[in-house]
């Protein structure tokens, strides 16, 4: 299906883990899909997905009622959910 599985991560340090992975890799990681599993982290306050190849934001992002900051610059976004 092409979705990225992120399990076993604490939501407080998920963004830090992704940033470390990008910096440590010789070929920086570029996500093509928004990790749908992030939408299960109900207390998530910030998501930084700058500099990827994400094209679609899932409608499930609307379930993140505590999300106050969403960074998606430098992506290929063509579809934004409307609820």
């Amino acid at each position: 299906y092409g979705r990225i599985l992120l399990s076993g991560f604490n939501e407080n340090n998920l963004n830090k883990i992704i940033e470390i992975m990008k910096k440590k890799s010789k070929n920086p990681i570029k996500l093509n899909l928004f990790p749908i599993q992030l939408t299960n982290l109900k207390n998530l306050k910030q998501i930084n997905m700058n500099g990827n190849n994400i094209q679609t934001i899932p409608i499930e992002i609307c379930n993140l009622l505590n999300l106050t900051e969403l960074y998606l610059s430098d992506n290929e976004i063509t579809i934004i959910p409307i609820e």
Side-chain angles (χ1 to χ4, degrees):
Y1 207 65
R3 291 192 174 179
I4 297 166
L5 177 62
L6 296 175
S7 61
F9 293 108
N10 180 319
E11 66 186 78
N12 293 326
N13 63 13
L14 186 56
N15 283 327
K16 290 179 185 176
I17 292 169
I18 291 171
E19 286 303 313
I20 289 169
M21 289 171 60
K22 284 183 177 183
K23 289 177 184 176
K24 298 285 183 187
S25 175
K26 289 183 181 180
N27 299 316
I29 296 168
K30 293 275 189 173
L31 301 177
N32 293 318
L33 298 170
F34 188 95
I36 193 75
Q37 291 78 10
L38 289 180
T39 62
N40 294 325
L41 301 173
K42 302 299 180 199
N43 293 321
L44 198 60
K45 295 180 181 178
Q46 180 189 68
I47 298 174
N48 186 336
M49 294 287 183
N50 289 341
N52 287 287
N53 295 321
I54 297 169
Q55 295 180 356
T56 303
I57 306 302
I59 189 70
E60 292 87 353
I61 200 164
C62 297
N63 296 333
L64 297 175
L65 301 179
N66 291 310
L67 188 66
T68 58
E69 298 177 52
L70 177 61
Y71 301 100
L72 296 168
S73 66
D74 298 321
N75 278 284
E76 306 294 326
I77 297 172
T78 57
I79 300 174
I80 299 174
I82 299 174
E83 184 171 292

